[in-house]
Amino acid sequence: MRVLTSLALSLLATLGLGRTAAAKSWCAYPLFVHEWGVHVFDASGRSQDGRAELLPSWFLGPESVRPRGAGGAVRDLPRDSGERDLPVVHFYSPHAPRMAELKVPVSIPVALEVGFAEGAATRWFPAVDALKPADGGAPQLVWERLDLVVNATTTPKKTDLPWILEARALPSLWVQGRSAAERFVFYEGKTREAVPLALARAPDWTATTRRYALTNRGRFAIHDIHVVHREPQASFLVRVARLDPGQSTTFSLDDQRVADVRREGLKSLRAALIDPKVLAAPTQYDWSQDRCVMQRDPAVPFAKADGHTLYAAEADLVLGVWGERFFGGPAGTNIIYREDTAALDALMPLAVYTDMLNFVVLHRAGLAVWSGVALP
C-alpha cells in the first residue's frame, strides 16, 4: 500500500520549504497513534454477548462489504472463544496547532490495515476500502486513505452514547473518511484465542488459608494482573506486575482484603496505563533534543508498537467504559490483565502508513478481562 504524498508536498510549500530543503534539512513530525481495547472472556473462555448497547447503529459490519477473494470467511467464522471489544485508535500531532493556524486546509494522510490472526472483524468505522485476506489467510480491514484534520469537514454522526461523546471531546485529530468524520478509527472482532492464564490451588491451600497459584500458559508475557474477588461481606484485590511465559506466582487471597475494591482497582490500573511524565499529547516537538526522521518511504508501514501507555484522558475514558465490568458487580471473581504489545502485534496486527512529513509512534494498550472465574 502506498499513501499519496501530494498533500505532503503542498504542505512543504505552505511552510516555505523547497524540495531541496525537504531532502536535506527538515525532520518529520511524530504522529502519535494510540490504540486501546479490551479482550473479553467468560468463565469458560467463550465470548460474552451484551456489548451491543455500546455500539451505535451506524457502525459497519461484514454486510457492508463484499470482499474479493475472501469467500465467506467472516460470516462462516468457526465458534469463537473471546471478543476483542471496542479497539479504538486516536491520532495526535504536535503540528496540530500550526495546522489550525494555516489559512489553507491541511491534513495528514494515513492508511490502516488491521487483522485478527485467530478470528475476524465484526464491526468497524469509518467505512473500509477493502476486506481482503492477509498473508495468513484471515481477512483484514483496509483503509486506503484517511485524512487527519484539526476541524472535520463533515458533520459527525448523531449519537447519545456517552463513551463516543467523551471520545469526541479528546484533543485528538479528527479522522476524515470518504463520507463521515470521527475522532477515532474503530474496529472489533471475534477470536478463537484462549485465556492464557490458569488458576489452581497452591500445595499449602487450606479452607482458612486460601493460597492459589497463577500461571501464564501463553506465548507472551502478561502484565498488570489484577485478581478481583468479591464476597457478600468482604472484597479482595491481588496485584501481579508481570508473568513471563511459563512463569507462576502464588498468593494468599485472605491477605489481600481491601475496603473498596473498585476504587483500589481503578487507581492501580490507571497508574499502569499512564506515564506520569506524559499526561497529555505534546503540542511542540524539538528536533534538537528529540528524534529526527528524514527521507522515509510512505510505502513502508509502522507495524510495531513503541509502548503501551495512554494519555490521562484516554485512560479515564477506558476505565469509565469498563471500570464497573472489571471491578464492580455482584460477588464473584474477575481477572484483569494487560496484554504484551508483542502479543497485540502478532494476534491483532496493525499497520499504519503516512506521508514523508510524519512518522508514527504507536502505543497499544490491550486489556483483557476473564469474568466469572470459579475459585478452585
Side-chain angles (χ1 to χ4, degrees), residues 24-28 285-294 359:
K24 295 182 179 180
S25 61
W26 62 270
C27 301
Y285 190 72
D286 186 350
W287 290 307
S288 66
Q289 298 179 7
D290 297 303
R291 176 180 173 191
C292 179
V293 176
M294 298 178 64
F359 69 94

Side-chain angles (χ1 to χ4, degrees), residues 111-279:
L112 297 178
E113 295 171 344
V114 62
F116 294 79
E118 297 189 29
T122 54
R123 308 297 290 178
W124 54 81
F125 193 82
V128 297
D129 295 294
L131 181 62
K132 65 183 183 181
D135 293 340
Q140 69 176 3
L141 302 171
V142 178
W143 287 270
E144 293 282 1
R145 174 65 178 261
L146 298 168
D147 289 295
L148 307 180
V149 296
V150 174
N151 298 303
T153 58
T154 58
T155 302
K157 300 281 189 178
K158 291 183 179 180
T159 184
D160 58 1
L161 291 174
W163 79 266
I164 293 183
L165 296 176
E166 291 175 26
R168 287 179 181 173
L170 294 179
S172 59
L173 294 168
W174 285 93
V175 180
Q176 185 67 56
R178 288 173 296 179
S179 59
E182 192 49 88
R183 283 281 194 190
F184 52 81
V185 172
F186 169 91
Y187 41 83
E188 70 175 15
K190 294 185 180 295
T191 172
R192 297 181 296 276
E193 299 166 44
V195 175
L197 289 170
L199 183 66
R201 289 182 178 180
D204 56 349
W205 184 96
T206 68
T208 56
T209 305
R210 295 177 293 177
R211 288 189 61 81
Y212 294 97
L214 189 65
T215 303
N216 178 2
R217 304 176 300 178
R219 297 185 290 131
F220 303 95
I222 299 173
H223 306 266
D224 306 320
I225 303 166
H226 291 67
V227 181
V228 181
H229 180 66
R230 303 176 69 102
E231 296 176 354
Q233 303 302 323
S235 59
F236 308 83
L237 178 64
V238 178
R239 286 164 275 203
V240 180
R242 176 184 175 120
L243 282 179
D244 289 320
Q247 185 179 9
S248 297
T249 188
T250 59
F251 60 87
S252 174
L253 183 65
D254 297 286
D255 291 340
Q256 306 297 328
R257 184 186 295 240
V258 293
D260 188 333
V261 70
R262 189 178 189 278
R263 183 187 65 193
E264 292 298 320
L266 287 173
K267 179 181 177 181
S268 175
L269 190 53
R270 185 181 190 272
L273 288 175
I274 64 174
D275 179 350
K277 296 180 181 179
V278 189
L279 294 177

Side-chain angles (χ1 to χ4, degrees), residues 28-32 92-95 282 285 287 291 357-361:
Y29 274 95
L31 177 63
F32 299 104
Y92 305 84
S93 172
H95 188 56
Y285 190 72
W287 290 307
R291 176 180 173 191
L357 283 183
N358 300 275
F359 69 94
V360 172
V361 180

Side-chain angles (χ1 to χ4, degrees), residues 38-52:
V38 177
H39 197 173
V40 181
F41 300 98
D42 66 8
S44 67
R46 299 193 182 281
S47 64
Q48 291 186 322
D49 196 6
R51 307 311 298 169

